Amino acid sequence: MTTSNHDLLDWSPDAVVFDCDGTLMDSERHWQEARGRAFQDYGLQPPPGFAEQALGRHYEDCGRLMAQSVQKPELTEDLTAALLDHFLELVTDQPVTMPGAVRLVRQLSGRLPLAVASNCPRVVVEGSLERAGLLGHFQHLVVPDPGDRVRPKPHPDVYAVAARLCGVPPHRALAVEDSLTGVEAARRAGLRVLGVGPRPQGDGATRAHGWVQALDAPELLTWVQAFGSPGDAPDS
């Protein structure tokens, strides 16, 4: 565990906001396969490194990136629609949670407000979390909504709204993210950020305030236990 993690996990937030894809739910693999199928629909191949570029993006942004990456801007709408169609087909299978996600959420539930801030469509997030038995633990679920001027990550909007709905200032909330796109969004919103998963190459991991390999990391479980019993107010 790094010094950064020690500093972060010695702190008690007043709310926790989770990303969904790749953080709570193992659905990034579905997005990756859906991108491959959408490219194949039009006889195209993704360029090298495309999966890393697409990680954490809103599906509409990803559709535009897909079209740009193969120099076919005229296919933006078609590739976007195909991407979402294939993903929805794949994600209807039994959802798989990320290691430690269920235990961590259940242990945090009732101790402080919990929210989800995701770039996925609401129907996908709600359906995945409900089938995994996690939906009821979250007081708020925030996704991009053009009507309410909530832009997707890496814009800060979903995290800023989630913190507001939880009734806490952004600097008193912790974001839990697996992608640098999400880390950037949370930081821009003013939240502290815990990165989860394989550490990014280069200085990417330093963009988060701390980084752990998975949600079942022992230091996270110890951190939650320090909050006391469900219903107790966390330390300020």
Side-chain angles (χ1 to χ4, degrees), residues 82-115:
L83 171 63
L84 184 58
D85 287 345
H86 284 303
F87 176 76
L88 291 175
E89 180 181 355
L90 291 164
V91 82
T92 54
D93 295 337
Q94 185 68 25
V96 177
T97 55
M98 297 298 290
V102 172
R103 181 178 180 181
L104 181 63
V105 169
R106 288 177 176 173
Q107 287 191 331
L108 284 171
S109 184
R111 299 175 191 265
L112 70 174
L114 301 181

Side-chain angles (χ1 to χ4, degrees), residues 54-67:
L55 184 64
R57 290 178 178 264
H58 186 264
Y59 77 93
E60 291 181 344
D61 289 338
C62 188
R64 283 191 289 271
L65 182 63
M66 291 171 69

Side-chain angles (χ1 to χ4, degrees), residues 36-52:
R37 291 186 180 185
F39 275 125
Q40 290 176 7
D41 286 348
Y42 292 89
L44 302 169
Q45 290 291 330
F50 183 81
E52 290 75 15

Side-chain angles (χ1 to χ4, degrees), residues 15 26 73-74 81 99 102 115 126 158 175 189 197 201 214 218 226:
D26 187 11
E74 69 276 11
V102 172
E126 288 182 342
V158 290
Q201 298 292 323

Side-chain angles (χ1 to χ4, degrees), residues 52-235:
E52 290 75 15
Q53 297 177 44
L55 184 64
R57 290 178 178 264
H58 186 264
Y59 77 93
E60 291 181 344
D61 289 338
C62 188
R64 283 191 289 271
L65 182 63
M66 291 171 69
Q68 292 169 3
S69 72
V70 292
Q71 300 180 345
K72 298 280 187 181
E74 69 276 11
L75 291 180
T76 295
E77 291 186 6
D78 293 334
L79 285 170
T80 301
L83 171 63
L84 184 58
D85 287 345
H86 284 303
F87 176 76
L88 291 175
E89 180 181 355
L90 291 164
V91 82
T92 54
D93 295 337
Q94 185 68 25
V96 177
T97 55
M98 297 298 290
V102 172
R103 181 178 180 181
L104 181 63
V105 169
R106 288 177 176 173
Q107 287 191 331
L108 284 171
S109 184
R111 299 175 191 265
L112 70 174
L114 301 181
V116 171
S118 175
N119 265 357
C120 276
R122 182 176 296 274
V123 63
V124 173
V125 179
E126 288 182 342
S128 297
L129 293 177
E130 184 174 21
R131 291 194 296 275
L134 294 178
L135 184 60
H137 294 289
F138 295 100
Q139 286 74 50
H140 307 287
L141 192 161
V142 184
V143 299
D145 186 339
D148 290 336
R149 297 183 180 179
V150 179
R151 299 166 297 177
K153 307 169 191 177
H155 295 289
D157 303 14
V158 290
Y159 277 108
V161 172
R164 176 173 55 80
L165 291 175
C166 286
V168 303
H171 72 276
R172 294 297 310 156
L174 175 68
V176 185
E177 267 286 353
D178 74 301
S179 74
L180 293 181
T181 298
V183 169
E184 177 67 15
R187 285 192 66 115
R188 290 173 65 184
L191 283 71
R192 296 196 193 186
V193 190
L194 178 66
V196 181
R199 293 178 69 87
Q201 298 292 323
D203 64 352
T206 64
R207 301 185 194 178
H209 297 87
W211 205 279
V212 293
Q213 284 294 312
L215 294 180
D216 57 2
E219 57 263 44
L220 280 182
L221 302 180
T222 300
W223 175 70
V224 173
Q225 291 168 2
F227 289 155
S229 301
D232 290 349
D235 296 334

